[in-house]
Amino acid sequence: MTGADGQDFAGGADRAPQAPTGDHGPAATLWHGRFEGGPDEALMALSVSLPFDRRLAAWDIRGSMAHVRGLARIGLLDQTEEARVLDALARTGTELGDGSFRFEPSDEDIHTAIERRVTELAGDAGAKLHTGRSRNDQVATAFRLWTKESLVELAELVLELQSVLLNRAKAVGEAYLPGYTHLQRAQPVPLAHHLAAHAWALNRDVDRLLEAIARMDVSPLGAGALAGSSLPIDPAGTAMDLGFARAFTNSLDVTSDRDFVAESLFALALLGIHLSRMGEEFVLWSSQEFGFVTLDDAFSTGSSMMPQKKNPDVAELARGKAGRLVGNLTSLLVTLKGLPLAYNRDLQEDKEPLLDSVDQIRLVLLAFRGMVETATFETETMARAADDPMSLATDLAEVLVEQGVPFRQAHSVVGGLVRDSLTRGIDLAELVGGHPAFPDSVAFLFAPGAAVSRRRSPGGAGLVPVGEQLGLLETELDRAGSRIRTVRATLRG
Ligand code: ARG
């Protein structure tokens, strides 16, 4: 799988939480100067973020390289030092990539691990890497870069799912099914209209992801711990180097701002909710009770006990994951609430929710696309269900309106016929045919699919408006595609 961190660094063992021993370990952290003893193991166990933030390694190295070039531009590193540190960063990146990187127990997070290694490799020049920089602006920079890239990749996957929906909508032609409100049959609608409805919801998701990227396109590098620096660092220069649209304007804000994480989590939660709702329909439609869809074997699961079972697990997991995505959003919002300016260590809790939401939604999008692409729509069953004359009640009332009958009276006339039909067990078509208020031409409405072909209002569930709508959807997907390509072009890497 090629995630934003497809180049996920495998090096180093995962750290399971360890029981505190009471021992005070060696004072080898990057900040040990001020302390007499080393940190307690219990503190280290609580504080390490390496198990998850090592996924940010490639983006941290990119940020560090831009920082080094910036320091060289203002003369704080000479050319030899710049080259040495850039080489050491590149080599550290390679080691992290091929698994040969050796983590030390004192490495608190990926950022300190990288700086430690660079200093080992580049000596005194390496020790200049952190000049005018804090982990606070460093972490925020790496995480923004990672997030931008992850969201673009997810927007692409959403677009692919939309294309599948559009292609299936085009291919099903004039097929129709009952449209539902309150999960009660309401009016017949073209299947293409129904499929396109989900594609339009996803369209807003793509838009939200791209808008979130645009808003987070601010470089925090140069904000330092909270106050910038007395050294002549140039945030605009490093922002441009990293492909950010602009640099921060307030160091306190940018080092503590996690709006970009919250917005990403919201965009992913809502996307997850859309997939969950669509998933719920596939669960219903694939049941024997509906029988509207047959899922391909490759996207169905069996039962360990009941040999006959074929289950829509992809759709169910899409539904299930939505809870987790909402949980991740909630978790971050609660973390942020009540934090005073500027950086607080609580903010380290921003990573796992977003890493998880990105991973989970990627899994869902890929499987969901396959499920929709390969599903068989049982259009005869759909049509049979939609041809229930009762579903024509609204269209019948509208026939009376065309005859000059006020709608409220028309509603009442048809309501009376429906009641008659139900209580006397007479077909609605027969009752309508014998009613003097209806023109003879009303019989046409009872032909299969007639209601759908008659409906014309813009955006409505008629064949003509749906044809127009699919054209608009296609244009919209092209537009989103080029927006995504534009954003992609700004990413370095
Ligand atoms: N791993 C930490 C994080 O993600 C690094 C920041 C530590 N900064 C500090 N001032 N202690 O937030």
Side-chain angles (χ1 to χ4, degrees):
M1 185 150 320
T2 54
D5 41 351
Q7 7 168 0
D8 219 357
F9 293 127
D14 263 355
R15 288 154 182 272
Q18 285 156 5
T21 61
D23 284 353
H24 293 254
T29 57
L30 291 180
W31 36 260
H32 70 266
R34 180 231 180 279
F35 292 84
E36 250 175 51
D40 190 90
E41 271 192 36
L43 178 147
M44 281 303 275
L46 172 66
S47 154
V48 284
S49 50
L50 203 45
F52 49 88
D53 68 17
R54 62 192 214 203
R55 290 178 55 178
L56 304 181
W59 291 268
D60 184 79
I61 286 176
R62 243 179 261 165
S64 293
M65 285 180 160
H67 182 61
V68 167
R69 287 189 287 264
L71 292 176
R73 281 196 297 276
I74 57 171
L76 286 176
L77 290 184
D78 65 29
Q79 276 192 350
T80 320
E81 290 171 325
E82 178 190 15
R84 282 199 74 184
V85 183
L86 288 176
D87 273 358
L89 279 163
R91 174 147 167 221
T92 304
T94 308
E95 289 175 359
L96 283 159
D98 67 18
S100 62
F101 188 94
R102 283 175 49 92
F103 287 95
E104 298 292 339
S106 58
D107 294 337
E108 278 185 278
D109 56 23
I110 191 61
H111 317 286
T112 50
I114 289 171
E115 190 191 337
R116 172 192 54 77
R117 181 66 183 139
V118 167
T119 310
E120 281 167 16
L121 290 168
D124 283 349
K128 293 188 174 182
L129 169 59
H130 214 50
T131 309
R133 187 179 72 166
S134 154
R135 258 188 301 164
N136 299 349
D137 57 343
Q138 180 184 359
V139 169
T141 303
F143 202 27
R144 278 185 195 244
L145 289 171
W146 180 88
T147 305
K148 276 171 62 179
E149 210 166 312
S150 300
L151 296 196
V152 178
E153 185 218 334
L154 293 177
E156 282 165 351
L157 291 180
V158 178
L159 196 60
E160 284 171 24
L161 174 57
Q162 287 178 284
S163 302
V164 168
L165 286 166
L166 174 63
N167 289 339
R168 300 243 42 192
K170 283 186 193 159
V172 297
E174 301 189 355
Y176 57 96
L177 76 163
Y180 295 82
T181 62
H182 313 267
L183 202 53
Q184 307 288 321
R185 283 182 195 163
Q187 294 184 274
V189 299
L191 176 56
H193 196 53
H194 195 113
L195 296 173
H198 289 303
W200 285 113
L202 296 175
N203 207 48
R204 294 190 293 277
D205 293 316
V206 171
D207 186 58
R208 239 184 308 274
L209 291 170
L210 295 176
E211 290 292 318
I213 290 170
R215 241 187 316 274
M216 76 179 67
D217 208 3
V218 174
S219 174
L221 197 57
L226 74 163
S229 171
S230 60
L231 300 167
I233 51 167
D234 173 26
T238 47
M240 204 199 301
D241 189 343
L242 288 168
F244 280 111
R246 55 201 173 277
F248 66 95
T249 41
N250 185 310
S251 60
L252 289 174
D253 178 40
V254 80
T255 46
S256 61
D257 168 19
R258 293 297 183 273
D259 290 7
F260 72 101
V261 186
E263 281 198 55
S264 303
L265 286 168
F266 173 71
L268 298 182
L270 194 51
L271 166 59
I273 285 169
H274 290 150
L275 296 169
S276 170
R277 294 182 63 187
M278 220 186 310
E280 167 65 5
E281 285 189 344
F282 273 85
V283 171
L284 287 172
W285 286 12
S286 63
S287 68
Q288 274 98 337
E289 283 68 18
F290 273 81
F292 286 2
V293 76
T294 305
L295 298 182
D296 192 86
D297 281 0
F299 290 94
S300 309
T301 51
S303 158
S304 59
M305 182 167 179
M306 299 170 284
Q308 88 286 9
K309 287 301 292 290
K310 180 169 162 183
N311 296 329
D313 285 24
V314 170
E316 290 169 89
L317 282 167
R319 205 174 51 187
K321 298 285 187 191
R324 180 164 169 178
L325 296 167
V326 173
N328 286 340
L329 169 63
T330 309
S331 143
L332 180 80
L333 291 175
V334 178
T335 298
L336 296 181
K337 175 190 171 302
L339 288 188
L341 292 176
Y343 180 86
N344 295 272
R345 192 61 187 270
D346 316 42
L347 290 176
Q348 181 168 289
E349 295 294 315
D350 63 351
K351 315 245 166 14
E352 284 160 294
L354 188 56
L355 292 167
D356 184 60
S357 286
V358 166
D359 289 346
Q360 297 303 320
I361 204 89
R362 182 188 296 126
L363 293 171
V364 173
L365 283 167
L366 289 170
F368 210 94
R369 182 182 70 193
M371 179 187 75
V372 177
E373 208 162 24
T374 56
T376 306
F377 294 117
E378 304 297 351
T379 51
E380 277 175 28
T381 311
M382 288 178 175
R384 226 176 301 123
D387 287 336
D388 173 3
M390 293 298 184
S391 299
L392 299 175
T394 310
D395 295 283
L396 286 168
E398 286 176 358
V399 168
L400 291 181
V401 167
E402 281 169 351
Q403 304 299 303
V405 181
F407 178 74
R408 197 42 65 208
Q409 285 171 25
H411 187 286
S412 166
V413 169
V414 177
L417 294 175
V418 166
R419 195 178 55 238
D420 260 12
S421 165
L422 290 173
T423 51
R424 294 163 57 203
I426 304 176
D427 192 57
L428 185 65
E430 204 175 302
L431 293 176
V432 167
H435 194 286
F438 286 96
D440 291 344
S441 59
V442 75
F444 161 78
L445 199 52
F446 290 94
V452 160
S453 50
R454 260 170 53 94
R455 227 175 271 134
R456 314 208 134 254
S457 65
L463 293 179
V464 173
V466 168
E468 288 163 6
Q469 185 195 147
L470 296 186
L472 290 175
L473 185 56
E474 184 143 30
T475 309
E476 197 48 47
L477 298 196
D478 289 344
R479 220 171 63 88
S482 60
R483 278 174 82 193
I484 290 174
R485 279 190 296 281
T486 306
V487 178
R488 263 241 176 269
T490 69
L491 301 175
R492 310 271 191 274

